[in-house]
Amino acid sequence: ALPISFAIDTNILVYAYNQGSPFHQKQEIFIVKNDLFDEFGQLSICICQQSCIEFVHSITWHRLERPLTFQQAIDVIDYLQDCGLTIIHPKNTQITTFADLIKTHFSRNKIFDTAITATLKDNGINGIYTANTRDFTDYPFLTVINPLI
């Protein structure tokens, strides 16, 4: 298995499963083009637990053209885990890491992105694929890539 160094942000997962999104097709191309599967067919990327929760919240929103049901959203998370997607969790150091990051990059609008960044940092993940690169570019340890452009 390949070492995991990149996470996917919630929006990448939402675009993959929101068939009404103009980014849906680009998302499929991103996964194939970047060869995110190892030789055993397992995904070599991770996602934060917080992003899984945000995915369920976002993909079931009634205003989407084709929202998923809650059960379908949970089934997606289960399926991705079966494919080898690693879900990383906050560590005991999360609040300290979060506080350190928020001191130097404070923005009320970025509280939840900072929490995700703290989870990444504490888990030794140094990159993120996201469509919203501005949310994460303030953190020097993090390589931020928009795979949809």
Side-chain angles (χ1 to χ4, degrees):
L2 299 170
I4 295 174
S5 61
F6 267 80
I8 55 171
D9 193 13
T10 309
N11 54 54
I12 299 301
L13 201 53
V14 169
Y15 292 144
Y17 287 92
N18 178 9
Q19 295 179 359
S21 166
F23 291 112
H24 178 68
Q25 194 67 35
K26 286 185 175 186
Q27 174 58 37
E28 291 175 358
I29 293 166
F30 152 67
I31 288 175
V32 173
K33 183 178 81 174
N34 288 283
D35 194 22
L36 299 179
F37 292 92
D38 67 15
E39 67 271 23
F40 305 108
Q42 298 291 289
L43 283 165
S44 60
I45 52 177
C46 66
I47 188 167
C48 291
Q49 166 214 308
Q50 302 103 301
S51 296
C52 292
I53 295 165
E54 187 179 8
F55 167 75
V56 171
H57 178 260
S58 299
I59 201 70
T60 58
W61 190 37
H62 71 281
R63 291 201 176 163
L64 289 181
E65 189 176 319
R66 295 168 74 178
L68 299 185
T69 65
F70 282 109
Q71 187 58 56
Q72 288 171 325
I74 295 300
D75 289 347
V76 166
I77 301 297
D78 289 343
Y79 167 74
L80 291 170
Q81 287 183 96
D82 290 346
C83 291
L85 180 70
T86 300
I87 297 178
I88 58 173
H89 301 272
K91 303 262 187 197
N92 291 340
T93 52
Q94 163 114 20
I95 198 67
T96 305
T97 305
F98 172 81
D100 289 345
L101 291 171
I102 213 77
K103 282 178 200 165
T104 54
H105 303 97
F106 181 73
S107 166
R108 191 171 179 287
N109 293 337
K110 289 189 177 186
I111 294 266
F112 295 105
D113 294 324
T114 303
I116 287 171
T117 303
T119 300
L120 296 177
K121 188 170 188 173
D122 286 350
N123 281 276
I125 305 299
N126 56 13
I128 189 166
Y129 292 115
T130 180
N132 300 331
T133 55
R134 286 176 304 168
D135 293 346
F136 297 96
T137 52
D138 290 339
Y139 309 104
F141 76 93
L142 205 54
T143 300
V144 182
I145 295 174
N146 182 346
L148 305 179
I149 57 174

